[in-house]
Amino acid sequence: MKGWSPLLALLALLGCACVQAADVPPGTQLAAEQAVVRHLKDEPTSLSPLKLVGLPELQVLRDLYEGLLTQGPDGKVQPGVALRWDNEGNQKFTFHLRPDARWSNGDPVRAADFVYGWRKLVDPKEAATFAWFAQLAHFEKVDEIVAGKAAPSELGVKALDDHTLQVSLSQPVPYFLSLLTHPSLSPLHQASMEQYGNQWTQPGKLVGNGAFVLSHRVVNERLELTPNPYYWDRAHTVLTRVTFVPINQESAAASRYLAGDLHITESFPKEQYQKLMKQIPGEVYTPEQLGTYYYAFNTRRAPLDDVRVRKALSYTIDRGLIADKVLGTGEKPAYHFTPDVTADFAPKPNLLSTSSQQALDERARALLKEAGYGPDKPLKLTLLYNTAEIHKKMALAIANLWKQKLGARVELTNQEWKTYLDSRQSGQFEVIRSSWVADYNDPSAFLGLWGSQHSGNMARFANARYDALLAQAAKSQNANERARLFDEAETILQDEAPIAPIYQYTNARLIKPWLKGYPINNPEDVAYSRQLYLIKH
């Protein structure tokens, strides 16, 4: 095969550490039937990598497609379609594809399939939902292409031959390899897409290269997947059927689980945590997740344009109390915006993490008095949250803390999701609840949000030094230097307080004891059904 070296052939022959599927311990007694039922939080909007929206699509697409790289149980990148790669300064990469990678119709997976898929992703005519992800990766010419100023063919990706893919970036991107595990950067099968047009994602027509293929779908009821007979590691795929069931009510999902209809849930009602821990303690999981719940302050609107007011509000949030009493389901207090579980992040102790709550409250009252507020002029503000019981519970608790400690008069406003998004986008708020769950595991996935040019910077925060630190970190290839730069950026966030981090997310779910292989400690919660198997019970 053209471009296929003896070394790659040897790697393929040995299999080495490249095996991707279920890791079944020797002597394990498997269940006679290997059919797993997985919960989805909602019906997938589309099964096209170009049209994915969120978690429901991601969970299914990870089974139907495989990118250049995948993730291991610990979240670290592993070979996928790419057996190995060469890295030139985190800016130019050459990927050598495995020769046994096949589409579900038996066609070989070629480097050109990635070129085709990625060009479609950035083509403005496609209006792909994750085109911004390609911009995050800084492919050469991607910004010009997305803006309609350059042709998709100018994207910095080239098939040197059937098994060699070259990628050029416009700047060094230290986290580039981790981005390649995302389904939006999957290859696409051009022939089937052109043959079936808008119907190409239907059962029997969808041609993917993942460990499973779509065999049946009833919208809002179930999606059934069966093993891809041509998948390169088919021999290690244990499950014979995967059924995804969309249930958008957590309580309904928990009930279906307890009734034995589901092997695993995507979540469960937090208010049922204590009850479930007593009822099925070995089936309740709350590992750390790559996400932070926070309040953002509108730094362009009084009274939140005064840093002293923002600090006073942040300091008086008793994060330990919130995590233990208001939530009580394993969440950790957030003393910085980037979660502790983030890769290559080593924050130093700060004021929030080292001070007693009493000391923080005293400092907050002094700051508010200095800003001109007191009994004769109480602080008045509005707190906006989107309609959900947990957000209401949080808002009531924190507003009460601000009233007791600062004498603040807080008006609570809740809005339905679409209205809330409009208010957030247009800056029609003073304090707003929000959260951020990263799309890749790197501090930049969090701290980049508060760059002055980031579209998600709802606080309208702008700090030249902060922007410079992010730019330096983006170009640095030294892990220790990047950690130092990110820690300094976190210090600026605390000093300027455009946000108040409150708690670090946990990934709450229920899992049957006989379902094994779920990578519960992956901070990004990336799970492939090929990793799962059922033991005899």
Side-chain angles (χ1 to χ4, degrees):
M1 297 181 184
K2 187 178 179 181
W4 183 242
S5 71
L7 174 60
L8 292 185
L10 179 61
L11 285 171
L13 181 64
L14 294 177
C16 59
C18 305
V19 172
Q20 301 290 290
D23 183 14
V24 183
T28 300
Q29 286 191 296
L30 295 173
E33 184 180 17
Q34 291 293 323
V36 162
V37 184
R38 298 179 59 175
H39 166 220
L40 290 178
K41 286 186 176 180
D42 217 329
E43 174 71 24
T45 301
S46 172
L47 296 182
S48 165
L50 301 175
K51 302 297 181 184
L52 69 89
V53 177
L55 188 61
E57 293 82 21
L58 286 170
Q59 298 289 53
V60 182
L61 290 179
R62 288 184 184 121
D63 284 351
L64 298 177
Y65 296 91
E66 183 168 273
L68 290 171
L69 304 178
T70 64
Q71 290 190 22
D74 57 0
K76 295 180 180 179
V77 296
Q78 289 187 342
V81 175
L83 261 178
R84 66 176 180 88
W85 50 92
D86 305 314
N87 179 355
E88 298 178 37
N90 287 327
Q91 190 166 357
K92 188 172 183 179
F93 298 81
T94 303
F95 295 92
H96 305 276
L97 312 191
R98 59 176 73 250
D100 52 347
R102 293 285 185 274
W103 291 98
S104 55
N105 69 347
D107 289 348
V109 177
R110 304 168 302 142
D113 298 326
F114 285 92
V115 175
Y116 175 74
W118 294 0
R119 285 178 178 175
K120 297 279 280 188
L121 178 67
V122 301
D123 189 341
K125 295 178 183 177
E126 291 293 330
T129 49
F130 266 72
W132 64 270
F133 205 75
Q135 293 179 283
L136 179 67
H138 294 285
F139 290 104
E140 275 189 356
K141 294 284 188 179
V142 66
D143 291 336
E144 294 93 326
I145 296 168
V146 170
K149 298 178 180 178
S153 59
E154 295 184 51
L155 188 69
V157 55
K158 183 187 301 182
L160 301 183
D161 57 46
D162 280 353
H163 294 101
T164 313
L165 183 73
Q166 187 179 84
V167 179
S168 300
L169 310 181
S170 60
Q171 67 179 58
V173 180
Y175 49 85
F176 178 71
L177 293 177
S178 66
L179 299 181
L180 294 177
T181 68
H182 197 274
S184 63
L185 293 174
S186 298
L188 293 176
H189 189 263
Q190 183 175 356
S192 61
M193 291 176 66
E194 293 178 349
Q195 179 182 356
Y196 296 115
N198 293 333
Q199 297 182 334
W200 74 270
T201 58
Q202 294 181 1
K205 298 175 182 177
L206 190 154
V207 177
N209 71 317
F212 291 85
V213 64
L214 181 67
S215 59
H216 190 67
R217 183 179 187 182
V218 180
V219 175
N220 291 320
E221 184 177 316
R222 71 187 186 279
L223 297 94
E224 291 184 1
L225 278 56
T226 51
N228 172 3
Y230 296 102
Y231 182 60
W232 65 269
D233 198 26
R234 171 69 181 91
H236 291 94
T237 302
V238 177
L239 298 183
T240 57
R241 186 171 71 251
V242 180
T243 302
F244 286 97
V245 180
I247 307 171
N248 56 23
Q249 294 293 325
E250 290 182 333
S251 56
S255 296
R256 293 278 298 273
Y257 176 87
L258 292 171
D261 296 338
L262 301 172
H263 288 98
I264 183 170
T265 70
E266 283 294 297
S267 58
F268 61 79
K270 291 297 182 73
E271 62 271 15
Q272 293 184 22
Y273 177 74
Q274 297 299 337
K275 176 184 176 183
L276 291 168
M277 283 297 290
K278 292 178 181 178
Q279 188 175 356
I280 48 172
E283 302 174 39
V284 181
Y285 294 85
T286 56
E288 294 180 61
Q289 189 182 8
L290 208 60
T292 301
Y293 190 105
Y294 66 95
Y295 279 2
F297 305 125
N298 191 334
T299 62
R300 305 293 176 87
R301 177 185 288 195
L304 283 311
D305 58 348
D306 190 327
V307 66
R308 296 168 296 185
V309 174
R310 301 197 298 267
K311 283 186 173 182
L313 293 172
S314 179
Y315 291 171
T316 46
I317 298 175
D318 190 333
R319 291 159 173 82
L321 177 71
I322 295 293
D324 294 339
K325 303 301 181 183
V326 178
L327 298 168
T329 52
E331 291 82 0
K332 293 173 62 175
Y335 300 119
H336 35 75
F337 184 59
T338 309
D340 294 340
V341 74
T342 309
D344 300 322
F345 179 61
K348 296 175 183 175
N350 60 26
L351 182 69
L352 291 176
S353 66
T354 59
S355 302
S356 68
Q357 190 57 50
Q358 182 180 355
L360 289 171
D361 292 344
E362 291 174 358
R363 186 179 290 237
R365 283 190 284 268
L367 284 169
L368 203 61
K369 182 178 180 180
E370 185 181 316
Y373 296 95
D376 297 331
K377 184 186 176 183
L379 176 66
K380 299 178 182 179
L381 50 86
T382 59
L383 169 55
L384 174 64
Y385 62 94
N386 57 297
T387 304
E389 192 60 35
I390 184 60
H391 305 324
K392 178 180 179 181
K393 192 176 180 181
M394 290 286 292
L396 288 169
I398 292 175
N400 188 51
L401 290 173
W402 288 342
K403 178 181 179 181
Q404 289 180 354
K405 298 178 180 184
L406 302 174
R409 297 179 182 177
V410 185
E411 178 184 344
L412 301 183
T413 304
N414 74 293
Q415 295 176 344
E416 292 302 320
W417 180 245
K418 289 185 178 180
T419 307
Y420 160 87
L421 288 179
D422 288 340
S423 298
R424 189 173 80 178
Q425 184 66 26
S426 61
Q428 299 302 306
F429 67 89
E430 291 178 343
V431 183
I432 188 170
R433 95 91 212 160
S434 194
S435 60
W436 187 254
V437 178
D439 290 295
Y440 62 99
N441 193 353
D442 187 80
S444 61
F446 288 90
L447 297 173
L449 185 63
W450 307 114
S452 60
Q453 301 303 312
H454 198 290
S455 61
N457 184 349
M458 68 190 77
R460 273 61 173 177
F461 173 64
N463 181 287
R465 176 58 184 162
Y466 187 88
D467 287 348
L469 288 169
L470 295 183
Q472 283 180 262
K475 295 177 181 178
S476 174
Q477 299 182 48
N478 183 287
N480 291 332
E481 181 185 27
R482 294 184 82 237
R484 178 184 61 78
L485 294 169
F486 288 133
D487 190 54
E488 187 177 341
E490 282 281 3
T491 300
I492 291 176
L493 283 185
Q494 183 172 142
D495 291 343
E496 296 296 322
I499 58 170
I502 300 173
Y503 68 86
Q504 301 178 36
Y505 273 133
T506 55
N507 182 21
R509 63 174 66 250
L510 304 173
I511 306 176
K512 294 295 184 185
W514 46 89
L515 174 62
K516 301 297 182 181
Y518 194 89
I520 197 68
N521 292 316
N522 183 322
E524 294 181 70
D525 191 33
V526 171
Y528 308 92
S529 294
R530 56 175 165 71
Q531 297 171 313
L532 308 179
Y533 58 96
L534 295 169
I535 61 172
K536 188 176 180 180
H537 61 280

